[in-house]
Amino acid sequence: MSNTLNFAPTQPARRPLRAGLWVAQLLVFTSFTLFGGMKLFMPVDQLAAMWVWPGAVPPWFLRLMGLIDIAGGFGVLLPALTRIQPRLTVLAALGCVLLQMAAIIFHSSRGEASVVPLNIILLALSAFILWGRSKKAPIPSRG
């Protein structure tokens, strides 16, 4: 029996990481497409009743944020899932990180601290995807 411990990662240790990345990608996809769809398609007055800020920005800005959210949601999942241009998943995750940082600043500056925890969770998930899909478990291209 050896007295040395082997801390080197083994192949099975990567499986939980890959599974965690897929779960994070599904959560980001679901969140961003759900919230993006709401921003894009719901009437502004209904959104303003649920969230304070939609009534304080121009409608075009609200709709643009919806499109950006939807693009980010699809971007973190579909390229990896189809293995067509999977590097786009990394770029979409970077965009989602930047978007959540901007959202935290926006909501904090308006005194809307109650919504910041969701932004922090989405930021953490997006950063995990960015790190994991760029460094630890990149998706290989199809061809």
Side-chain angles (χ1 to χ4, degrees):
M1 201 154 110
S2 173
N3 289 337
T4 61
L5 295 174
N6 183 2
F7 290 106
T10 62
Q11 189 63 20
R14 291 186 63 203
R15 184 172 284 155
L17 174 63
R18 288 193 311 268
L21 284 165
W22 282 115
V23 168
Q25 286 172 259
L26 285 169
L27 288 171
V28 168
F29 167 78
T30 302
S31 299
F32 275 66
T33 55
L34 173 69
F35 294 131
M38 291 170 72
K39 292 172 193 170
L40 193 58
F41 298 114
M42 284 182 73
V44 175
D45 59 335
Q46 281 185 315
L47 283 174
M50 293 176 7
W51 310 325
V52 176
W53 69 270
V57 298
W60 67 266
F61 181 79
L62 179 66
R63 304 306 181 202
L64 178 62
M65 289 298 98
L67 283 173
I68 291 170
D69 284 353
I70 290 171
F74 276 97
V76 297
L77 184 63
L78 288 185
L81 196 59
T82 62
R83 293 183 23 194
I84 298 172
Q85 299 292 325
R87 70 177 182 268
L88 294 177
T89 292
V90 174
L91 294 176
L94 174 60
C96 290
V97 165
L98 295 174
L99 181 63
Q100 291 310 303
M101 290 171 67
I104 290 168
I105 293 167
F106 174 79
H107 291 301
S108 296
S109 73
R110 294 178 41 84
E112 299 168 352
S114 64
V115 297
V116 171
L118 176 61
N119 296 122
I120 291 171
I121 291 167
L122 291 172
L123 172 63
L125 288 169
S126 299
F128 175 60
I129 295 165
L130 175 62
W131 169 80
R133 291 300 181 204
S134 64
K135 304 283 184 204
K136 295 296 182 181
I139 302 288
S141 259
R142 201 184 266 212

